[in-house]
Amino acid sequence: MSEARDAERKSYPLLPLRNVLVFPGITISLEVGRPKSVKAVEIARALGMELVMCAQKSTDITDPLPEHIYAVGTLGIIKEVAKTASGNLRIVVEGIRRIEISSYLALEPAYMVSVEDLHERRPGVEENRILVKSLMEQYEEYVGVTRNVPAETLISITGISEAGRLCDTVANHIPIPIPEKQELLETVSIIERAEMVLDVLSREIELAGLEKRINLRVRRQIERSQKEYWLREQMKAIQRELGDRGDGPSEAEEFRQKIEKAGLPDDAKERALREVARLEKMPQASAEAVVVRTYLEWLVSLPWNVLTEDTIDIEHAKKILDQDHYGLDEPKERILEYLAIRKLVGKPKGPILCFVGPPGVGKTSLGKSIARALGRRFVRISLGGVRDEAEIRGHRRTYIGALPGRIIQGLRNAGSKNPVFLMDEIDKLASDFRGDPAAALLEVLDPEQNHQFSDHYLEVPFDLSKVMFITTANSSHSIPRPLLDRMEVINLPGYTEEEKIEIGSQFLVPKMVKEHGLTPSNLTIRRDALREIVRSYTREAGVRNLERQVATICRKTAKDVVAGNKKRVIVTSRNVNKYLGIPKFRYGQTEKEDQVGVSLALAVTEFGGDIMPCEVSVVKGKGKLTLTGQLGDVMKESAQAAVSYLRSRSADLGLEPDFYETVDIHVHIPEGAIPKDGPSAGITMACAIASALTGKPVKHGLAMTGEITLRGRVLPVGGVKEKVLAAHRAGVSKVILPLDNKKDLEDIPSNVRNELDIELVAHMDQVLTMALAGGGNGELETFACLEGLKQGQDVAVNHVS
Ligand code: ADP
């Protein structure tokens, strides 16, 4: 037994290993450099013996003492020795079996040790098989996750059927620290060793998985930031190609500064900044960015915080209104009252002013004067033909080319939050399937709601409560009712001839002379010339055409002055046609002679008061009543009432009781393009029909207005002032008005009243007596036309010239 032990206990040279460990069954190449180690190799070679290889406990030590060296190691056999270029030895050794150093026999020139073999404790066949199987599976999994095991290693392992060998080979290949490998080397129980290797493997697998995940994440991050960088560079290049802004101050920054400056209220500001942030993330040239940019431009350009200071001084306001306008005493007075109340109440709440009158009577220019008097800015929008709610309130931004509505546009133009805001032609609002603009306007004009006016485009509310709204209309009855209720109507009915001449000489001529770069010494337009222009070149209630005609004279004068032909021009009634051409209107439209079947009606159209001839022709027929000239239903009914009245009066008029069954009556009111309606032509039609039926002419120079009832009563009508002015303008000498309109005569300027013969009537009989030449009812005889009709002739009686 002791012999056997001795045989086992042999002495060998020792090769201390740094950083490496040799397992039995493994062939490995080592570089040997340390003198003691080289000696050990040389001894082993010289004596043809194996050598002991043990790992150092610490790798730092160059000259290890026995205590620095693990006692358990591997006995190996040197297969090859070669010298390297650096003078070291390169040896190839194969591990043979586990040994343990029992003593150091010599320390110089190399360590000589005596060793004992370490015997492994082997498992049973079945256990061995299971261990091999699980080691193999585990190792394959390990190879799968690490991917850095060479294929040959895997092949070399697959052939091993003994668990101990397998453990050693696997341990040799996995990168674990030397102390751990040492532990495996020292473990003689193969089952224990196998468990340790399995543990190590599963730990390594887990680590490798973790590493893989981390690697993947790191790689992804790198990839993403690289991708973004690359894309940004690409975008910059594209933008440079497209000529977009380069690296200058960022657009978003500019917007932020503008937003700060514009003084937006909190909610609007928040909104705007959100949009800027959105804009930043968009490619600059994208369609979406264009939309956002336009929106932001709108937001920052609105006068959120700009207020002009009011000067409400009634004296001053009066002075300015007088400076800009001739006459208009009542409207001016009403405006001053309105301003005074605003000053007293201190709040901008209250009814909205609405100027109603025909074109050119100074509605817009009164609005401008109010702005001037208050020291406010002035904006004007026209509502004529607005039929879409979006024109007031804007389109939502989802529409292509959407914009804010006219209110917000007007405010931007005004550049202040409290301008005088004139809305023209509020009576021309229309409504259809696109919504009701009047409803939107209600919100604009309502002081209870308009501090939060929301435009569809802006999406944030704008405060309109400081705005002073003024509206204008040509006639008040076509203004939507709910709007009219909120307004204080001021009527501007039109001017008399004298007033027009005054306005012309005091305001229009000086204004036009200046506008055309002339001086008063270049051009004089005499009053008689102005009168001629008013009479023969214009027919209007206002002074717009008068202004145009004066402008024409100024243009021609300017041409002459510049050409050096003339230095000074004086326009009189005699030479006015040299500048304005042949007269456009015949003054005194009334015929010079009495006519049958024609009488003059007084009417109010959008263009002011006017006179309209009413023509009637009677032909043989079956009692048909035809009405032409774009007459409305009310007017047609009033023609029927007139005929019924005449039927009831047939005996007095000397007509056959059944005259209406034998004739057709055609009533025509020319100037067909203008729609006409209303009952006020009732007495005129009755008069013309009576004249046509009886053949008695209507006296010339006579015009009339009044509603007729079936029994011939004459009812009052509206627009008396405008109508009388129109009659005066047209050169009529006598006007018949309903008695109940007597109170309206006060409105008529005294010079007009003096020049006209105004008759007030209560009954149609009075009208016939006054109007028909040769007397009225009771005295009327049967006339030639009726005689003619009876005899079967067609007689047209309306065109006696
Ligand atoms: P509207 O708005 O009623 O159609 P505008 O205000 O445009 O009429 O008036 C047309 C022109 O006539 C303007 O140049 C205006 O200054 C002038 N005008 C009208 N009425 C007067 C007036 N009473 N005094 C002086 N100028 C007047």
Side-chain angles (χ1 to χ4, degrees):
M1 179 77 187
S2 89
E3 221 178 310
R5 233 202 179 135
D6 280 349
E8 279 178 20
R9 202 181 284 160
K10 274 187 162 177
S11 64
Y12 300 97
L14 169 70
L15 178 65
L17 300 174
R18 265 206 297 195
N19 245 342
V20 62
L21 202 143
V22 181
F23 282 94
I26 302 295
T27 304
I28 196 170
S29 157
L30 300 168
E31 187 160 338
V32 184
R34 290 183 285 183
K36 260 189 188 156
S37 302
V38 172
K39 267 280 174 269
V41 171
E42 280 171 359
I43 292 170
R45 286 274 283 177
L47 299 179
M49 65 192 310
E50 293 97 345
L51 109 166
V52 169
M53 291 172 288
C54 286
Q56 275 179 218
K57 291 176 184 165
S58 162
T59 52
D60 315 336
I61 302 165
T62 325
D63 232 344
L65 296 173
E67 64 261 34
H68 296 137
I69 298 167
Y70 286 114
V72 175
T74 310
L75 189 70
I77 182 159
I78 298 174
K79 296 269 171 100
E80 262 178 57
V81 179
K83 270 220 157 104
T84 66
S86 55
N88 292 340
L89 295 177
R90 172 162 296 284
I91 60 168
V92 174
V93 282
E94 186 190 350
I96 300 169
R97 60 177 182 273
R98 289 172 161 75
I99 46 90
E100 185 175 4
I101 298 172
S102 45
S103 63
Y104 278 78
L105 304 174
L107 301 180
E108 293 292 342
Y111 287 132
M112 290 299 288
V113 289
S114 69
V115 298
E116 278 179 28
D117 281 349
L118 286 182
H119 297 289
E120 292 180 324
R121 283 206 299 280
R122 293 170 193 275
V125 179
E126 192 53 19
E127 280 172 317
N128 181 64
R129 201 177 58 82
I130 292 167
L131 286 178
V132 169
K133 187 165 178 270
S134 40
L135 279 166
M136 278 310 295
E137 280 173 6
Q138 193 91 319
Y139 188 69
E140 273 170 19
E141 193 183 339
Y142 168 79
V143 172
V145 291
T146 58
R147 287 169 193 268
N148 52 7
V149 178
E152 53 270 32
T153 311
L154 194 60
I155 293 166
S156 69
I157 283 173
T158 346
I160 302 172
S161 57
E162 198 260 305
R165 269 287 305 285
L166 189 56
C167 283
D168 290 347
T169 316
V170 169
N172 179 55
H173 287 304
I174 47 183
I176 52 173
I178 295 300
E180 244 180 280
K181 285 196 175 177
Q182 180 68 30
E183 214 181 320
L184 287 173
L185 190 68
E186 288 175 10
T187 307
V188 287
S189 157
I190 286 179
I191 294 180
E192 273 176 40
R193 195 190 305 161
E195 278 169 2
M196 281 167 73
V197 170
L198 286 171
D199 270 357
V200 170
L201 277 177
S202 70
R203 190 190 71 205
E204 287 298 310
I205 288 169
E206 203 170 308
L207 276 179
L210 192 67
E211 195 179 14
K212 196 168 157 187
R213 281 200 298 280
I214 292 171
N215 272 343
L216 204 67
R217 203 171 303 146
V218 169
R219 200 167 62 224
R220 257 197 236 129
Q221 259 167 16
I222 292 173
E223 273 172 6
R224 196 182 314 136
S225 60
Q226 263 179 350
K227 191 169 137 196
E228 277 180 17
Y229 173 78
W230 183 81
L231 286 175
R232 256 182 243 291
E233 288 301 310
Q234 291 273 315
M235 201 159 76
K236 274 193 202 157
I238 292 170
Q239 281 164 1
R240 265 197 297 278
E241 279 301 308
L242 290 175
D244 278 8
R245 44 199 297 150
D247 298 331
S250 106
E251 182 185 31
E253 221 20 73
E254 276 178 24
F255 270 125
R256 285 199 185 96
Q257 287 167 7
K258 283 188 193 166
I259 290 168
E260 268 323 306
K261 255 212 236 139
L264 273 66
D266 288 348
D267 47 350
K269 185 170 169 181
E270 199 180 300
R271 181 65 201 253
L273 290 175
R274 261 208 320 268
E275 293 291 322
V276 174
R278 244 162 53 95
L279 180 65
E280 254 175 331
K281 292 197 198 106
M282 290 173 189
Q284 291 205 2
S286 69
E288 178 82 5
V290 174
V291 172
V292 174
R293 209 173 285 134
T294 322
Y295 175 69
L296 283 169
E297 293 285 0
W298 269 103
L299 277 189
V300 298
S301 65
L302 289 180
W304 298 95
N305 223 355
V306 189
L307 276 168
T308 54
E309 203 171 319
D310 274 4
T311 47
I312 304 192
D313 174 351
I314 301 301
E315 272 309 302
H316 172 72
K318 182 170 167 32
K319 226 163 63 198
I320 287 190
L321 288 176
D322 285 340
Q323 254 173 29
D324 295 349
H325 299 94
Y326 173 86
L328 298 176
D329 294 337
E330 201 198 323
K332 284 179 187 166
E333 199 53 42
R334 298 265 310 267
I335 291 170
L336 293 175
E337 285 166 17
Y338 178 85
L339 294 180
I341 290 170
R342 268 176 93 96
K343 186 176 181 181
L344 281 180
V345 177
K347 274 193 200 156
K349 295 189 179 171
I352 310 288
L353 282 184
C354 176
F355 298 137
V356 176
V361 291
K363 300 182 297 293
T364 312
S365 83
L366 276 176
K368 277 188 198 154
S369 289
I370 293 176
R372 197 155 82 88
L374 293 176
R376 291 190 178 205
R377 305 209 178 138
F378 178 80
V379 267
R380 169 175 175 264
I381 61 167
S382 175
L383 297 175
V386 168
R387 44 181 64 243
D388 188 351
E389 190 191 344
E391 295 210 36
I392 306 289
R393 233 189 237 291
H395 280 290
R396 294 191 191 282
R397 267 200 293 154
T398 40
Y399 280 81
I400 294 173
L403 276 183
R406 295 194 189 194
I407 306 293
I408 292 296
Q409 296 193 16
L411 280 165
R412 178 161 94 163
N413 292 345
S416 89
K417 203 177 162 183
N418 61 340
V420 169
F421 200 120
L422 187 92
M423 299 204 249
D424 254 344
E425 304 193 308
I426 196 160
D427 54 334
K428 305 285 191 310
L429 277 181
S431 79
D432 62 12
F433 62 94
R434 281 166 290 197
D436 185 0
L441 263 193
L442 265 184
E443 194 190 319
V444 172
L445 296 178
D446 184 351
E448 300 299 329
Q449 295 184 49
N450 69 6
H451 62 280
Q452 283 275 32
F453 172 69
S454 67
D455 184 281
H456 288 329
Y457 180 82
L458 286 192
E459 292 173 8
V460 286
F462 193 92
D463 179 8
L464 298 179
S465 64
K466 307 272 187 304
V467 179
M468 178 172 177
F469 287 104
I470 298 179
T471 57
T472 81
N474 288 138
S475 66
S476 57
H477 46 258
S478 35
I479 301 177
R481 191 75 219 178
L483 281 175
L484 191 61
D485 288 346
R486 283 173 174 70
M487 298 195 283
E488 180 173 342
V489 172
I490 296 183
N491 281 307
L492 293 103
Y495 300 113
T496 62
E497 192 176 284
E498 284 311 314
E499 283 173 330
K500 289 184 187 173
I501 294 168
E502 287 304 327
I503 294 171
S505 65
Q506 292 181 32
F507 294 88
L508 302 181
V509 174
K511 188 164 103 184
M512 287 297 128
V513 163
K514 198 165 159 214
E515 266 179 29
H516 288 79
L518 299 167
T519 63
S521 63
N522 293 131
L523 174 67
T524 309
I525 303 180
R526 292 241 180 94
R527 288 175 71 86
D528 59 331
L530 285 172
R531 188 181 305 274
E532 182 60 21
I533 298 171
V534 168
R535 284 184 174 177
S536 305
Y537 293 89
T538 67
R539 177 170 294 163
E540 57 176 351
V543 290
R544 192 166 285 173
N545 284 328
L546 175 62
E547 188 177 58
R548 264 187 218 133
Q549 301 298 342
V550 171
T552 310
I553 297 179
C554 290
R555 263 200 316 277
K556 296 200 166 152
T557 310
K559 197 181 108 207
D560 283 348
V561 170
V562 171
N565 299 343
K566 283 179 189 158
K567 270 219 159 83
R568 183 170 167 73
V569 171
I570 298 173
V571 184
T572 66
S573 60
R574 258 174 296 151
N575 67 358
V576 70
N577 58 355
K578 280 213 313 223
Y579 293 89
L580 300 179
I582 52 163
K584 295 193 180 67
F585 301 98
R586 194 147 55 93
Y587 176 67
Q589 197 200 29
T590 52
E591 304 298 334
K592 298 283 183 287
E593 289 169 28
D594 300 350
Q595 291 187 58
V596 175
V598 182
S599 75
L600 292 179
L602 292 171
V604 180
T605 69
E606 286 175 1
F607 308 102
D610 205 353
I611 62 166
M612 287 178 184
C614 167
E615 302 175 349
V616 175
S617 107
V618 177
V619 292
K620 194 179 166 199
K622 294 201 176 86
K624 215 168 82 189
L625 176 64
T626 312
L627 297 139
T628 52
Q630 286 223 37
L631 309 187
D633 288 342
V634 179
M635 208 159 189
K636 285 180 182 165
E637 283 165 12
S638 113
Q640 274 155 358
V643 172
S644 298
Y645 157 76
L646 291 174
R647 278 172 61 186
S648 73
R649 275 279 182 267
S650 57
D652 298 330
L653 289 166
L655 303 174
E656 292 288 317
D658 59 349
F659 75 89
Y660 60 91
E661 284 175 357
T662 56
V663 292
D664 283 349
I665 300 174
H666 183 173
V667 178
H668 179 64
I669 301 188
E671 296 179 53
I674 304 170
K676 308 162 196 87
D677 203 2
S680 74
I683 64 170
T684 324
M685 288 190 287
C687 185
I689 297 170
S691 162
L693 286 171
T694 60
K696 281 198 155 194
V698 181
K699 287 178 187 164
H700 71 271
L702 171 71
M704 62 191 81
T705 181
E707 180 174 352
I708 187 172
T709 70
L710 287 179
R711 288 178 300 142
R713 274 186 52 221
V714 178
L715 302 183
V717 293
V720 170
K721 183 177 178 189
E722 288 89 334
K723 289 174 177 173
V724 173
L725 290 184
H728 181 250
R729 218 166 30 237
V732 165
S733 54
K734 187 173 187 167
V735 174
I736 298 177
L737 297 176
L739 182 62
D740 290 345
N741 280 114
K742 189 171 180 184
K743 58 179 188 332
D744 297 316
L745 294 183
E746 287 167 22
D747 297 342
I748 298 167
S750 53
N751 65 325
V752 175
R753 238 183 312 165
N754 295 340
E755 284 171 31
L756 277 177
D757 180 5
I758 299 177
E759 296 284 351
L760 296 168
V761 296
H763 200 277
M764 189 62 208
D765 292 351
Q766 292 170 280
V767 178
L768 292 180
T769 314
M770 270 180 236
L772 296 187
N777 50 346
E779 305 163 28
L780 299 169
E781 290 165 17
T782 310
F783 285 98
C785 74
L786 280 180
E787 291 301 334
L789 284 173
K790 275 185 216 149
Q791 288 155 20
Q793 300 162 359
D794 280 359
V795 185
V797 279
N798 67 330
H799 43 67
V800 182
S801 57

